[in-house]
Amino acid sequence: MSIALLLVDLQYDFLERPGLLPSQRDLSSAIATVLEHARTRGIPVLHIRTRIDPAGHDRMPHWKAAGIWACVTGTRGVETPPEFSALGDEAVIYKPFFSGFGNPQLEQTLAESGVEELWIVGLYTHSCVRATAMDAYERGFRVTLIEDCLGSTDTLHAHLTREYMDGRSAVLKQSGELLQLHPEPMVHYCPTRQSLAVAVVPYTSKSAIRQITAGARRAAIAWRRTSLASRRDVMRKFAKRLDAAAEQLLTAMITDLGKPRGAALDELQRAAGHIQQALALENNESIDPSTGVVYEPHGVVAIVTPWNNPVAIAVGKLSAALILGNGVVWKPAFQAHNISQMVLELLQGAGLPEDLVQIVNGGPTEVAWLAQDPDIAAVSVTGPEQAGRTIAPICQSSGKVLQAELGGNNALLVLADADLSRLAPVWARLAFGFAGQRCTAIRRFVVERTIAGKFEDLMLDAIRTLHLMHPELDTCDVGPVISLRHLERIDSAVQSAVARGARLITGGSAWECAEDACYYLPTLLADLEHDDAMVQEELFAPVAVMQLADDFEHGLALVNGVRQGLLAGIASRSASRYQEFVQQCDVGIIIDGDGLQLHPAAPFGGRKASQQGSPEHGIWDREFFSRAKACYRSAGT
């Protein structure tokens, strides 16, 4: 059967739209692999592109109504990145609307080549890809959508599109499956010694995930019958084993993640606190006579944990899920592979039944497979915003419970009456500690205009006192960033901001003294517009911006004026201003500018794009990891 590869709308105006998932980098990498395969094997490649006349008469009606101009002839936006340029014998077919078949040249070219099957990659799944695929199906072509090579800015409609089309008008396959490729293992290098590979992690296949979740379901049935007292005994033993292994875990966090020793110690203390809070959770499956309510476990839950807090976050989720009677399938970040294996071994050594907790390795694709698995009843994710946007439609369409803590773009409002001299060193650590790789890090300083100069001078002094050194040292404040790739991403974002007019107060480059390591200097930027990407997006880096506010009300509007809403703080001597800030700030966590010490029993969660579902920790864990059932019985029966 003759096959052709269609590349749909791989143009700058579409690739660079905010919210694209997968990211442009990941998408481009996957498409490049398929494109190379097609060219090597002589599969015809056709480039489908949108092109609009500068006069705009051929724009789609909804573009005209919304004032959208994209892919206009003569602009950069209509062009495609060099890696997707058409070779001499490859057809380029232009369209003004959704479907590539809107241009008769596409069908004619396919007919001349005797093509019967189409592989489709590109943008966007929910619109041009869908329209092209549906028109191809109507014309009698077999259609394969290469799932990891499709991007969208509308994750819900993209998911519904894939779910509806698969098995009807198209077949969905991963590129590795289609090309019969075995993905290279994920490799993580030591942040302080890039020549040292500390973890080589193979991907877990879809069939293996199916076996793992089925095994966890069987184990969870027996675990649910175990008494609450017995479950607590296992977790108490786990707590003791975790404490005994503290130095090993510290060493692994320092070596594998570049986490400063002090921050790693704090994480271990929080992990112990989460276990104690989980031990206090009640999950009596007999009817509570006072309320007529039964709390039951879900069965098997999937948990997805990040690399930056690989012990505390994982232990918090695991301990609550297990105490409440669930089995767990755990997808940790591959950078924390060694640490996650250590935690699992400590848990199993405490007497946990075989198969009750199992690890799956991979990335967004494997997380999606987990969420789609019929044996998974609930999903708890801590990660970047795009992780939640990817997984939410899957859970929504399948009726699964989702808890997602998705980071923040946190601001500290500094008013004129704040104790600047005393608190500037505290704020420097809130922003740049652990190289800003904490979801609670301060990324925006919203400063009352009348004290901007003084704030800038004091912050510059405070930043200069931060200890940028090897993370194994007790006095290390900052440490390296997680990888060379992340370092390059940070520097690119900073240089782009400066090119747009940002003023660099300090930093703005990698640390020249750190050869073979991933250190980036603590960086403070100013003079950015509020809608600038550096203000609006979470960079997860030792980079902060200074925004100027006319007064409290203006400052509050700037604090609230981002998509995220995890944490915010106010620095003021006024108790009434603090109360007003608490009432009006649209975040889940408020601090007073004097620092942050998380309590394991307090709810951890945000608002807006920073949170989906219930918060983490404390009594809120029971609301997520178990289900309430109301039971009514007539008197005397």
Side-chain angles (χ1 to χ4, degrees):
M1 178 179 293
S2 179
I3 300 169
L5 173 65
L6 303 189
L7 278 64
V8 178
D9 284 348
L10 295 175
Q11 298 161 268
Y12 286 115
D13 272 346
F14 295 134
L15 284 165
E16 294 177 350
R17 277 187 181 172
L20 177 67
L21 288 177
S23 68
Q24 181 178 346
R25 183 187 296 225
D26 291 342
L27 191 65
S28 296
S29 176
I31 293 174
T33 299
V34 174
L35 181 58
E36 180 183 9
H37 174 92
R39 285 170 171 167
T40 301
R41 286 155 181 78
I43 295 173
V45 177
L46 289 83
H47 301 258
I48 314 300
R49 299 177 188 169
T50 298
R51 185 171 66 181
I52 300 299
D53 187 275
H57 59 82
D58 53 353
R59 286 187 298 162
M60 290 182 285
H62 73 282
W63 278 18
K64 293 179 181 178
I68 296 173
W69 289 86
C71 299
V72 176
T73 301
T75 68
R76 174 180 177 273
V78 75
E79 302 299 331
T80 191
E83 61 266 32
F84 301 130
S85 296
L87 300 183
D89 59 345
E90 295 173 354
V92 179
I93 296 167
Y94 293 101
K95 63 182 179 64
F97 280 36
F98 291 115
S99 175
F101 287 94
N103 185 338
Q105 182 187 350
L106 174 57
E107 189 169 6
Q108 179 182 343
T109 302
L110 294 172
E112 291 172 353
S113 302
V115 170
E116 297 174 309
E117 180 177 352
L118 300 179
W119 293 353
I120 300 180
V121 304
L123 309 175
Y124 293 122
T125 311
H126 64 280
S127 53
C128 295
V129 167
R130 178 179 66 182
T132 301
M134 292 296 282
D135 282 353
Y137 172 69
E138 182 180 347
R139 287 161 172 78
F141 293 98
R142 294 177 183 269
V143 178
T144 298
L145 298 177
I146 307 180
E147 194 167 11
D148 53 328
C149 296
L150 301 176
S152 181
T153 55
D154 187 331
T155 52
L156 176 58
H157 286 112
H159 170 70
L160 294 174
T161 294
R162 293 191 299 268
E163 193 173 60
Y164 178 78
M165 293 184 71
D166 191 20
R168 290 187 174 90
S169 53
V171 173
L172 266 68
K173 290 188 176 181
Q174 296 289 315
S175 60
E177 175 190 10
L178 182 67
L179 308 183
Q180 296 183 331
L181 301 174
H182 298 288
E184 293 292 324
M186 300 167 283
V187 181
H188 176 55
Y189 297 89
C190 174
T192 59
R193 187 180 165 195
Q194 280 291 283
S195 57
L196 175 64
V198 293
V200 180
V201 188
Y203 287 87
T204 305
S205 68
K206 190 173 187 179
S207 59
I209 289 175
R210 181 80 277 276
Q211 293 173 356
I212 286 169
T213 58
R217 176 182 55 79
R218 290 189 294 270
I221 293 171
W223 180 247
R224 175 175 177 171
R225 299 192 186 105
T226 304
S227 69
L228 180 58
S230 297
R231 294 181 216 149
R232 285 174 171 160
D233 283 342
V234 171
M235 296 311 296
R236 288 190 185 99
K237 291 175 184 175
F238 172 55
K240 291 179 180 178
R241 290 172 59 82
L242 194 69
D243 182 62
E247 196 58 39
Q248 293 171 276
L249 290 165
L250 278 173
T251 300
M253 283 192 276
I254 292 167
T255 302
D256 292 13
L257 309 177
K259 190 158 195 170
R261 177 173 285 272
L265 278 168
D266 177 69
E267 179 177 350
L268 290 180
Q269 292 170 359
R270 282 188 289 115
H274 289 319
I275 296 175
Q276 294 307 311
Q277 288 300 316
L279 288 169
L281 294 173
E282 294 286 347
N283 188 29
N284 191 348
E285 291 188 54
S286 61
I287 300 174
D288 183 333
S290 63
T291 61
V293 174
V294 172
Y295 281 92
E296 300 176 328
H298 288 286
V300 181
V301 298
I303 67 170
V304 182
T305 59
W307 57 262
N308 63 326
N309 282 286
V311 179
I313 291 177
V315 166
K317 294 179 190 290
L318 286 164
S319 55
L322 292 169
I323 285 285
L324 296 171
N326 298 282
V328 179
V329 179
W330 176 17
K331 207 298 290 180
F334 79 94
Q335 298 92 333
H337 175 77
N338 298 329
I339 300 164
S340 304
Q341 291 292 336
M342 291 170 65
V343 171
L344 180 59
E345 289 169 9
L346 292 170
L347 193 53
Q348 291 172 336
L352 200 71
E354 187 178 2
D355 292 342
L356 188 65
V357 176
Q358 297 184 69
I359 283 180
V360 162
N361 296 313
T365 297
E366 287 69 27
V367 172
W369 288 342
L370 260 183
Q372 292 165 347
D373 192 281
D375 284 323
I376 297 295
V379 181
S380 178
V381 177
T382 301
E385 183 183 334
Q386 56 265 36
R389 289 179 50 227
T390 300
I391 211 72
I394 298 173
C395 293
Q396 183 177 349
S397 65
S398 59
K400 295 179 181 179
V401 185
L402 173 65
Q403 176 191 63
E405 192 280 293
L406 305 173
N409 187 7
N410 314 310
L412 178 69
L413 175 58
V414 182
L415 297 183
D417 66 340
D419 190 348
L420 298 178
S421 299
R422 180 177 68 86
L423 292 175
V426 175
W427 301 338
R429 284 167 177 78
L430 284 174
F432 305 113
F434 188 20
Q437 297 171 128
R438 297 169 291 115
C439 60
T440 55
I442 296 298
R443 312 200 183 281
R444 299 180 293 132
F445 290 100
V446 180
V447 182
E448 201 162 3
R449 194 178 300 276
T450 56
I451 58 166
K454 184 178 180 182
F455 171 86
E456 188 173 323
D457 291 341
L458 288 170
M459 280 299 295
L460 189 55
D461 289 342
I463 291 170
R464 286 170 177 158
T465 66
L466 293 173
H467 294 122
L468 185 67
M469 55 181 60
H470 198 286
E472 69 182 5
L473 299 174
D474 291 334
T475 51
C476 175
D477 295 312
V478 180
V481 298
I482 188 64
S483 67
L484 181 60
R485 176 176 175 177
H486 191 42
L487 181 76
E488 293 169 345
R489 174 174 172 261
I490 294 165
D491 191 55
S492 175
V494 170
Q495 301 314 319
S496 294
V498 171
R500 293 192 299 270
R503 178 167 58 91
L504 184 64
I505 296 173
T506 188
S509 67
W511 188 27
E512 295 179 355
C513 299
E515 295 182 7
D516 197 31
C518 300
Y519 287 85
Y520 200 82
L521 295 174
T523 299
L524 185 61
L525 298 166
D527 301 344
L528 288 154
E529 296 295 331
H530 186 62
D531 61 355
D532 189 272
M534 187 62 76
V535 176
Q536 290 293 321
E537 302 297 330
E538 180 188 35
L539 189 57
F540 215 66
V543 178
V545 301
M546 183 175 77
Q547 298 177 267
L548 300 184
D550 298 331
D551 49 30
F552 171 78
E553 287 74 18
H554 182 214
L556 180 65
L558 291 175
V559 170
N560 283 334
V562 294
R563 189 175 61 255
Q564 310 84 358
L566 178 62
L567 176 148
I570 180 171
S572 171
R573 290 185 172 91
S574 170
S576 62
R577 280 299 194 202
Y578 175 80
Q579 290 298 328
E580 193 174 357
F581 188 79
V582 168
Q583 292 167 4
Q584 298 186 43
C585 192
D586 195 12
V587 298
I589 302 169
I590 297 286
I591 62 173
D592 65 1
D594 236 341
L596 172 64
Q597 186 63 46
L598 295 172
H599 194 288
F604 191 94
R607 307 282 178 82
K608 301 185 288 188
S610 291
Q611 183 75 32
Q612 296 192 40
S614 61
E616 301 174 347
H617 308 329
I619 60 174
W620 293 270
D621 278 336
R622 186 175 77 167
E623 302 308 311
F624 175 74
F625 287 110
S626 63
R627 298 173 294 177
K629 179 186 291 183
C631 304
Y632 299 95
R633 188 178 185 185
S634 302
T637 62

mmCIF file of all heavy atoms in Angstrom, residues 143 330 332 458 487 510 525 545 553:
data_model
loop_
_atom_site.group_PDB
_atom_site.id
_atom_site.type_symbol
_atom_site.label_atom_id
_atom_site.label_comp_id
_atom_site.label_asym_id
_atom_site.label_seq_id
_atom_site.Cartn_x
_atom_site.Cartn_y
_atom_site.Cartn_z
ATOM 1 N N VAL A 143 -6.273 6.535 7.127
ATOM 2 C CA VAL A 143 -5.639 7.658 7.825
ATOM 3 C C VAL A 143 -5.019 7.172 9.126
ATOM 4 O O VAL A 143 -5.690 6.522 9.946
ATOM 5 C CB VAL A 143 -6.653 8.781 8.121
ATOM 6 C CG1 VAL A 143 -5.978 9.919 8.889
ATOM 7 C CG2 VAL A 143 -7.272 9.293 6.819
ATOM 8 N N TRP A 330 2.978 4.563 40.464
ATOM 9 C CA TRP A 330 3.719 5.807 40.663
ATOM 10 C C TRP A 330 4.588 6.098 39.447
ATOM 11 O O TRP A 330 5.388 5.267 39.039
ATOM 12 C CB TRP A 330 4.561 5.637 41.923
ATOM 13 C CG TRP A 330 5.497 6.747 42.289
ATOM 14 C CD1 TRP A 330 5.496 8.022 41.836
ATOM 15 C CD2 TRP A 330 6.582 6.657 43.223
ATOM 16 N NE1 TRP A 330 6.503 8.736 42.422
ATOM 17 C CE2 TRP A 330 7.179 7.929 43.278
ATOM 18 C CE3 TRP A 330 7.088 5.618 44.016
ATOM 19 C CZ2 TRP A 330 8.281 8.188 44.095
ATOM 20 C CZ3 TRP A 330 8.169 5.878 44.824
ATOM 21 C CH2 TRP A 330 8.755 7.150 44.871
ATOM 22 N N PRO A 332 7.334 8.643 38.752
ATOM 23 C CA PRO A 332 8.199 9.732 39.200
ATOM 24 C C PRO A 332 8.919 10.382 38.021
ATOM 25 O O PRO A 332 9.008 9.804 36.930
ATOM 26 C CB PRO A 332 9.199 9.018 40.118
ATOM 27 C CG PRO A 332 9.297 7.642 39.549
ATOM 28 C CD PRO A 332 7.949 7.324 38.948
ATOM 29 N N LEU A 458 18.961 47.362 47.956
ATOM 30 C CA LEU A 458 19.040 46.372 49.026
ATOM 31 C C LEU A 458 18.967 44.948 48.477
ATOM 32 O O LEU A 458 19.657 44.049 48.973
ATOM 33 C CB LEU A 458 17.924 46.609 50.044
ATOM 34 C CG LEU A 458 18.096 47.851 50.924
ATOM 35 C CD1 LEU A 458 16.838 48.126 51.717
ATOM 36 C CD2 LEU A 458 19.292 47.677 51.865
ATOM 37 N N LEU A 487 19.342 24.914 31.661
ATOM 38 C CA LEU A 487 20.213 26.085 31.691
ATOM 39 C C LEU A 487 20.102 26.867 30.388
ATOM 40 O O LEU A 487 19.984 28.111 30.397
ATOM 41 C CB LEU A 487 21.659 25.632 31.919
ATOM 42 C CG LEU A 487 22.717 26.736 32.009
ATOM 43 C CD1 LEU A 487 22.649 27.428 33.365
ATOM 44 C CD2 LEU A 487 24.102 26.172 31.783
ATOM 45 N N ALA A 510 25.220 32.239 32.633
ATOM 46 C CA ALA A 510 25.729 31.094 33.380
ATOM 47 C C ALA A 510 26.939 31.534 34.193
ATOM 48 O O ALA A 510 27.597 32.533 33.887
ATOM 49 C CB ALA A 510 26.098 29.968 32.428
ATOM 50 N N LEU A 525 15.421 41.149 36.888
ATOM 51 C CA LEU A 525 15.080 41.972 35.736
ATOM 52 C C LEU A 525 14.050 43.025 36.112
ATOM 53 O O LEU A 525 13.262 42.840 37.045
ATOM 54 C CB LEU A 525 14.514 41.100 34.613
ATOM 55 C CG LEU A 525 15.428 40.019 34.022
ATOM 56 C CD1 LEU A 525 14.609 39.053 33.183
ATOM 57 C CD2 LEU A 525 16.534 40.638 33.204
ATOM 58 N N VAL A 545 11.572 38.990 38.515
ATOM 59 C CA VAL A 545 11.338 40.289 37.878
ATOM 60 C C VAL A 545 10.803 41.267 38.913
ATOM 61 O O VAL A 545 10.144 40.876 39.884
ATOM 62 C CB VAL A 545 10.353 40.176 36.695
ATOM 63 C CG1 VAL A 545 10.870 39.232 35.638
ATOM 64 C CG2 VAL A 545 8.982 39.722 37.174
ATOM 65 N N GLU A 553 -3.677 49.113 45.802
ATOM 66 C CA GLU A 553 -4.676 48.572 44.879
ATOM 67 C C GLU A 553 -4.056 48.178 43.544
ATOM 68 O O GLU A 553 -4.366 47.115 42.982
ATOM 69 C CB GLU A 553 -5.799 49.608 44.650
ATOM 70 C CG GLU A 553 -6.739 49.787 45.825
ATOM 71 C CD GLU A 553 -6.113 50.579 46.980
ATOM 72 O OE1 GLU A 553 -5.083 51.277 46.742
ATOM 73 O OE2 GLU A 553 -6.638 50.511 48.098
#
